[in-house]
Amino acid sequence: QSQFVESGGGLVQSGGSLRLSCAASGFTMGGYAIGWFRQAPGKPRVGVSCLSKIVSNTYYADSVKGRFTISRDNAKITMYLQMNSLKPEDTGLYFCAAGAFCSGNVLGAVAYWGQGTQVTVSS
């Protein structure tokens, strides 16, 4: 069964850092664009960052630009989201995903989702 396994969430103070990881199982990410989404309590899921599949361009939501970095390893098995200078408004459930294309910072035509990992930033 093809899936992602996420890890790395947790509770951190404002200004702290976390690194989210997402390991692909049953498929490789080489043929996909990849992205991260965030869902805050009571709000819809929104795209945070996207990395294109051909030239590896990266895109970020304005709210995280300069603080978050999306990447994947050379084997294209694991993807990451490095989050620095975290703010309380970054709190939410974070989902990794693989899909067909980046529409700016939003991954389109998602084929695979991670199960979600909780990030809580205290003030």
Side-chain angles (χ1 to χ4, degrees), residues 2-119:
S2 299
Q3 61 180 354
F4 275 120
V5 178
E6 291 195 49
S7 61
L11 173 64
V12 64
Q13 288 189 327
S14 181
S17 298
L18 283 174
R19 189 193 197 200
L20 306 183
S21 299
C22 210
S25 176
F27 73 104
T28 61
M29 290 181 281
Y32 298 92
I34 59 172
W36 289 90
F37 292 77
R38 174 171 69 205
Q39 188 165 18
K43 295 189 176 181
R45 193 176 301 185
V46 297
V48 172
S49 181
C50 195
L51 188 153
S52 64
K53 64 182 176 182
I54 302 299
V55 294
S56 296
N57 288 335
T58 56
Y59 307 89
Y60 299 93
D62 288 343
S63 60
V64 307
K65 203 171 293 183
R67 301 187 297 120
F68 289 14
T69 304
I70 187 173
S71 64
R72 60 181 160 195
D73 65 2
N74 289 335
K76 296 182 173 61
I77 296 174
T78 306
M79 57 187 286
Y80 305 96
L81 186 67
Q82 177 68 43
M83 305 186 294
N84 299 328
S85 302
L86 282 161
K87 304 175 181 180
E89 51 264 42
D90 295 320
T91 294
L93 193 59
Y94 282 73
F95 297 87
C96 62
F101 58 89
C102 292
S103 180
N105 54 278
V106 182
L107 179 68
V110 174
Y112 301 102
W113 286 99
Q115 81 277 16
T117 187
Q118 179 67 37
V119 171

